[in-house]
Amino acid sequence: MNQITKYGVVSLLCTSLIACSGDDGKDGAAGAQGPIGNRGENGVNALTMHTDLQNGNAHCASGGVRIDTGLDINENDALDTAEISQTSYVCSPNVNKNFIRIASFAVCSQLDANCNTDTETSAEIAAVSEDGLTVIYTDSPAEQIGFVDITQPEEPKAAGVLALAGEPTSVAVKDGYALVAVNTSANYVDVSGQLDVVDIKTQSIVQTIDLGGQPDSIAVSKDGQYAAVVIENERDEDLGDGAPPQAPAGELIIVSLMGAPSTWATTAVDLTGLADLYAGDPEPEYVDINEDNIAVVSLQENNHIVLVDLATASVIQHFSAGSIDLENIDVAEEDPAIISLTGNLDSVLREPDGVSWINSELFATADEGDLDGGSRSFSIFNKNGDVVWHSGATLDHMTVKYGHYPDSRSKNKGNEPENVEFGSYMGDDYLFVNSERSSLVFVYNVNDPANPVFKQVLPAAAAPEGVVAVPSRNLLIAASEADSRGDKMRSALNIYRYQVAEIAYPSILSANRIDGTPIPWGAMSGLAAHTTDSNTLYAIEDSFYGSNRIFTLNVETKPATLSSELVIKDSNDVFASLNVAALADTSVAENHVTRIDVFDEADLAAMINADKTVNLDPEGIAVASSGGFWLASEGSGTVGDAGRPVNSANLLFKIDATGVIENVVMLPADVNEKQLRFGFEGVTEYNGVVYVAFQRAWGDENNVRIGAYDIANQNWSFYFYPLDAVASQNGGWIGLSDIVSAGEGKLLVLERDNQGGPDAAVKRIYSVDVSSSTAGHTLTKTLVRDLMSDLKASGGLVPEKVEGLTIAANGDAYIVNDNDGVDDNSGETQLINLGQLTY
């Protein structure tokens, strides 16, 4: 099936006015202004065409989608073959050899075996020993390098750290040595740096070589003769407008690696005078070396690329990295977020960061953008500076499709490709592209490097920076640098193996809208199941996104397909007519004394958009017996806490099958008077009663409430649920996240702590029986399943917010985690089928 999408393109007609010199050689007087020209004709349209590919396709063995773009020159509203300017492919998963995450090594375990430490650590750039058994990584915050034993890669072990005299910026390996670039600069002007040569076996520095400036990337040639170190001498982004030129200028240092480290000598290569933008301040960023000992160096802020012959220490070629036009991308940052793939950007500078040779003639660039860029793509160049291929907006589209799009970066760099690495595995060539902001590694087959074919995407801990291929052991290592215990993110080395296995990630991907762009999604906070169709689930997004939607998931496919979206609307002003507190002055701030403890008319107005869509905080969803859905929307704010004013109440919504609000139910006034910001989390319906799980206990109550709303009698009663004791080494709290009816009066309850990664301890499903209890009493709970092993099975760090639970029509139980809209989160979403549970 073909889908055509049209976009307007402005056609410009330019003229030049040339001043001619007189016979005496002097410039003549300026002529009179000519008449205004006629309005130019409308330009042609840009088209995007999506073509479904069947099994056995040459580019996608298991089928997929071919994406063609170009200008409709003949204006026939079709994209003819001659009009296609770019083609890319998104291939379906297959069951051949794929890269599978097998482990995640939390860097904090170097300090404490259980990561029971608040100290910030970071794995930024990684290298692997020549025998493939040891990972060496840079830890910039701690001014050290770390060693990890991957003899058994499924069980990586902390193997020690080595303190350095400054900040390590990069590392490479030569024989039994780790070559570590170290920044010892006092500031941005008084720059200095050194190359520490570290014996990997003894973890000791055997030689230190002065580099004369602040280093960044380092690479070692394949024949072991040379190391190349870029001396960035980076700019101070807080100085003036943060733009170059800022002295001192950077350069490239070539290190001859012949003989013992004590004999290694350096040669400097001047990189000034090459770039068009800031010729006196090259700021080299990254380097890689091909088999001919030609180094490719990215000058990121200069949007320039330089090729250096290491044998002669001479620049043999240099050229601009150029720009690209981006179509169908998100260019706005809203709060709450809206992912809208309707924007275009023209002539965006590539500003490449990481670079990697594919072969002796072609290299790839991770087009991160930094100063004036934001091209959010990657490109393949030849040595003459010709662009052989580029990804356009494909990476942004895929992060949207996989639920990893970082909306808070829409105005800047989108998914932000940071680094790129080449590796040849068992006869197949692959390119790996690290997306820092979406925390993904994109894998492309480059057997034909002029026509890369997307293979798969790999999940990583937050902010993957460095990536290193280890084909000798069929491994891939990605280093994720973000580390914040308070935000439940720990820096990690992500370890993947190339093996015969089905693609394991993503667990959910979205279908395309009618315009050919993927349905945006993220922050899934609740699950529900179709009453008769075992393959259909429903999910809801929380308040991170505006204009809330209900998603339909087809779990018959693998990964599950997010096949449709249903926008929730207050078309009949049911919500708008809710009886809330009136304000004498609607202009006062939300934290005004008259507003801090009440859900008022100004609060209500803020929850309804001009187009009648709504901005709720839906944390739970259930299929209603009368058709449509029940939604549990969590309240905002805590009564009696001026620092957390009440901006909404906890509300139970009845939504019809078309997404229109039919009814809104509030809690009794005496319960609302105790409101805590941890309110409604899950909802389910059984035998004429809607049950709602509160997250934590309110007021002076010892146990958390489960509300029971009688639909026919329109009244509330409440049970109390005893939470487990806090078990995490990091403390925190425990609360409820979802609730689902298991029939015959039994409810399954999802209970979790607010900890992630090594600190996570409680992620459990319990059962309670409301048919054998009386309202107002405390329920007796029975453990059904401890989810920790299920959450560790993917090889990643345990997510904090396991928030969705449901039982499909065939009895299979499903859970899903909330990825917080990729805000201080890796964005990873795991939809897990637990099979049949006993309760």
Side-chain angles (χ1 to χ4, degrees):
M1 178 182 69
N2 290 347
Q3 291 181 329
I4 299 287
T5 308
K6 180 189 297 184
Y7 305 94
V9 177
V10 177
S11 177
L12 300 178
L13 176 63
C14 300
T15 60
S16 298
L17 298 178
I18 303 174
C20 300
S21 298
D23 292 339
D24 60 359
K26 298 180 181 179
D27 290 342
Q33 181 173 337
I36 297 175
N38 296 326
R39 181 182 297 274
E41 297 180 358
N42 291 333
V44 298
N45 289 314
L47 301 181
T48 297
M49 181 169 66
H50 291 68
T51 304
D52 291 338
L53 304 177
Q54 303 304 312
N55 288 342
N57 180 270
H59 287 280
C60 296
S62 296
V65 178
R66 169 177 165 156
I67 305 171
D68 296 310
T69 58
L71 297 179
D72 184 15
I73 303 299
N74 60 12
E75 300 183 3
N76 66 345
D77 286 334
L79 196 57
D80 299 332
T81 301
E83 296 171 337
I84 295 174
S85 59
Q86 181 178 332
T87 297
S88 59
Y89 298 87
V90 178
C91 297
S92 301
N94 58 63
V95 294
N96 298 319
K97 286 193 172 172
N98 295 296
F99 291 89
I100 306 297
R101 183 177 58 189
I102 58 174
S104 296
F105 175 82
V107 177
C108 48
S109 64
Q110 292 276 24
L111 306 181
D112 180 272
N114 298 313
C115 272
N116 192 12
T117 174
D118 293 337
T119 302
E120 181 185 3
T121 60
S122 181
E124 185 176 6
I125 301 297
V128 177
S129 59
E130 291 194 343
D131 61 10
L133 301 180
T134 304
V135 179
I136 307 98
Y137 64 88
T138 62
D139 186 341
S140 173
E143 296 192 344
Q144 64 188 17
I145 57 172
F147 302 85
V148 179
D149 181 352
I150 57 167
T151 303
Q152 295 180 318
E154 301 90 344
E155 299 179 5
K157 294 180 173 59
V161 297
L162 175 64
L164 304 172
E167 172 195 3
T169 58
S170 189
V171 60
V173 167
K174 152 71 173 175
D175 297 331
Y177 301 112
L179 280 58
V180 187
V182 183
N183 177 20
T184 57
S185 302
N187 50 54
Y188 291 100
V189 176
D190 302 311
V191 295
S192 62
Q194 62 194 42
L195 180 66
D196 285 345
V197 183
V198 177
D199 185 303
I200 297 173
K201 184 176 182 179
T202 64
Q203 297 183 11
S204 60
I205 299 173
V206 299
Q207 187 69 31
T208 295
I209 301 171
D210 180 51
L211 293 174
Q214 175 255 315
D216 198 337
S217 170
I218 180 172
V220 170
S221 62
K222 293 175 177 57
D223 61 10
Q225 293 189 57
Y226 304 99
V229 187
V230 296
I231 305 301
E232 182 178 10
N233 292 341
E234 64 182 330
R235 73 192 193 281
D236 183 351
E237 295 185 27
D238 295 325
L239 181 63
D241 61 1
Q246 292 181 19
E251 60 187 354
L252 180 71
I253 299 293
I254 301 173
V255 185
S256 173
L257 303 181
M258 305 305 292
S262 60
T263 67
W264 293 354
T266 62
T267 303
V269 179
D270 183 11
L271 301 177
T272 62
L274 303 178
D276 295 329
L277 295 177
Y278 311 106
D281 187 13
E283 286 206 45
E285 187 77 24
Y286 211 90
V287 61
D288 193 37
I289 305 170
N290 71 7
E291 294 179 350
D292 298 328
N293 287 338
I294 304 299
V296 55
V297 181
S298 63
L299 313 185
Q300 186 171 19
E301 288 77 11
N302 279 274
N303 194 41
H304 212 74
I305 295 169
V306 179
L307 302 183
V308 177
D309 185 330
L310 299 182
T312 62
S314 61
V315 174
I316 58 173
Q317 183 65 282
H318 68 92
F319 41 83
S320 169
S323 64
I324 66 172
D325 297 332
L326 296 170
E327 299 176 348
N328 304 346
I329 61 169
D330 192 348
V331 296
E333 298 169 10
E334 305 88 353
D335 186 15
I338 298 289
I339 300 175
S340 176
L341 300 180
T342 57
N344 298 328
L345 292 175
D346 297 329
S347 301
V348 182
L349 300 184
R350 284 188 169 85
E351 292 189 345
D353 190 342
V355 293
S356 178
W357 288 99
I358 297 174
N359 54 38
S360 60
E361 298 295 323
L362 300 175
F363 62 88
T365 61
D367 303 331
E368 176 191 26
D370 187 30
L371 182 62
D372 299 309
S375 57
R376 50 192 89 186
S377 59
F378 75 96
S379 304
I380 296 177
F381 290 84
N382 62 26
K383 291 195 299 185
N384 295 322
D386 302 317
V387 177
V388 174
W389 186 90
H390 71 86
S391 63
T394 303
L395 299 189
D396 259 17
H397 284 200
M398 284 197 284
T399 59
V400 172
K401 194 175 190 70
Y402 300 140
H404 278 252
Y405 183 74
D407 185 75
S408 63
R409 301 296 294 174
S410 292
K411 289 196 300 185
N412 297 290
K413 310 172 192 176
N415 77 88
E416 197 167 320
E418 178 78 17
N419 215 332
V420 63
E421 168 78 339
F422 171 80
S424 186
Y425 291 76
M426 305 180 74
D428 283 320
D429 294 340
Y430 293 107
L431 199 62
F432 308 96
V433 184
N434 277 9
S435 173
E436 181 179 11
R437 298 292 178 168
S438 66
S439 301
L440 292 172
V441 180
F442 295 99
V443 183
Y444 280 79
N445 182 294
V446 288
N447 287 346
D448 177 3
N451 293 286
V453 176
F454 174 71
K455 178 176 177 61
Q456 65 181 118
V457 69
L458 305 174
E465 174 93 6
V467 55
V468 56
V470 193
S472 63
R473 298 195 65 198
N474 284 326
L475 298 177
L476 177 75
I477 314 289
S480 291
E481 63 177 334
D483 190 80
S484 173
R485 194 182 194 187
D487 292 323
K488 286 78 176 178
M489 296 188 300
R490 300 313 315 235
S491 174
L493 294 173
N494 311 274
I495 305 175
Y496 314 90
R497 176 186 282 131
Y498 187 57
Q499 62 187 56
V500 175
E502 290 186 1
I503 288 176
Y505 196 81
S507 62
I508 302 171
L509 61 81
S510 66
N512 288 340
R513 288 171 165 169
I514 193 170
D515 66 356
T517 62
I519 299 172
W521 65 277
M524 289 191 171
S525 57
L527 281 180
H530 193 282
T531 56
T532 59
D533 184 354
S534 301
N535 294 320
T536 298
L537 304 182
Y538 303 100
I540 186 73
E541 61 184 356
D542 66 21
S543 61
F544 185 85
Y545 296 104
S547 300
N548 306 115
R549 296 166 298 159
I550 296 170
F551 303 117
T552 299
L553 304 178
N554 177 7
V555 296
E556 184 177 17
T557 63
K558 189 174 182 181
T561 302
L562 194 162
S563 57
S564 65
E565 57 187 331
L566 182 65
V567 180
I568 303 167
K569 287 193 172 187
D570 189 34
S571 301
N572 300 322
D573 293 329
V574 172
F575 186 31
S577 302
L578 193 67
N579 185 21
V580 297
L583 290 178
D585 182 359
T586 59
S587 66
V588 297
E590 63 182 26
N591 59 354
H592 189 269
V593 65
T594 62
R595 296 189 58 192
I596 58 175
D597 286 341
V598 295
F599 178 40
D600 56 53
E601 56 185 313
D603 296 326
L604 177 60
M607 299 177 72
I608 305 174
N609 300 316
D611 62 356
K612 299 296 184 76
T613 61
V614 293
N615 300 318
L616 312 176
D617 188 10
E619 294 288 348
I621 181 172
V623 174
S625 59
S626 60
F629 303 92
W630 293 103
L631 298 182
S633 180
E634 186 174 24
S636 172
T638 298
V639 171
D641 184 350
R644 298 186 182 278
V646 173
N647 292 323
S648 68
N650 291 271
L651 302 168
L652 178 62
F653 286 84
K654 174 62 173 61
I655 312 292
D656 73 14
T658 67
V660 175
I661 296 173
E662 292 183 317
N663 191 22
V664 185
V665 181
M666 297 187 73
L667 288 168
D670 62 328
V671 179
N672 277 332
E673 289 173 358
K674 302 178 181 182
Q675 177 169 315
L676 186 72
R677 66 188 182 96
F678 302 98
F680 284 177
E681 278 292 319
V683 61
T684 191
E685 180 188 340
Y686 172 70
N687 199 25
V689 178
V690 179
Y691 296 91
V692 180
F694 291 47
Q695 186 163 66
R696 297 178 64 186
W698 284 12
D700 57 358
E701 296 169 350
N702 294 321
N703 295 312
V704 66
R705 289 179 182 245
I706 293 179
Y709 178 73
D710 187 305
I711 301 172
N713 295 320
Q714 300 182 22
N715 58 29
W716 286 95
S717 58
F718 298 92
Y719 300 88
F720 289 91
Y721 177 95
L723 294 170
D724 285 351
V726 173
S728 172
Q729 62 187 8
N730 195 37
W733 52 259
I734 292 179
L736 302 185
S737 274
D738 211 345
I739 188 169
V740 61
S741 171
E744 300 180 351
K746 287 189 176 181
L747 306 176
L748 297 187
V749 180
L750 181 57
E751 187 173 343
R752 68 169 180 90
D753 57 21
N754 69 329
Q755 302 297 316
D759 290 323
V762 176
K763 316 290 181 189
R764 298 167 183 162
I765 298 174
Y766 286 95
S767 68
V768 295
D769 190 344
V770 293
S771 66
S772 62
S773 184
T774 305
H777 288 75
T778 300
L779 297 164
T780 299
K781 66 180 187 180
T782 302
L783 180 64
V784 173
R785 187 164 182 137
D786 188 320
L787 299 171
M788 288 295 287
S789 60
D790 298 295
L791 298 170
K792 291 179 180 178
S794 69
L797 302 179
V798 174
E800 174 204 356
K801 296 184 177 180
V802 186
E803 294 207 350
L805 168 67
T806 195
I807 302 173
N810 64 357
D812 284 357
Y814 288 81
I815 58 172
V816 72
N817 68 289
D818 176 358
N819 71 5
D820 284 335
V822 204
D823 187 20
D824 288 333
N825 193 298
S826 71
E828 182 169 342
T829 299
Q830 290 288 348
L831 175 68
I832 302 175
N833 184 346
L834 302 174
Q836 307 275 319
L837 302 180
T838 301
Y839 39 84

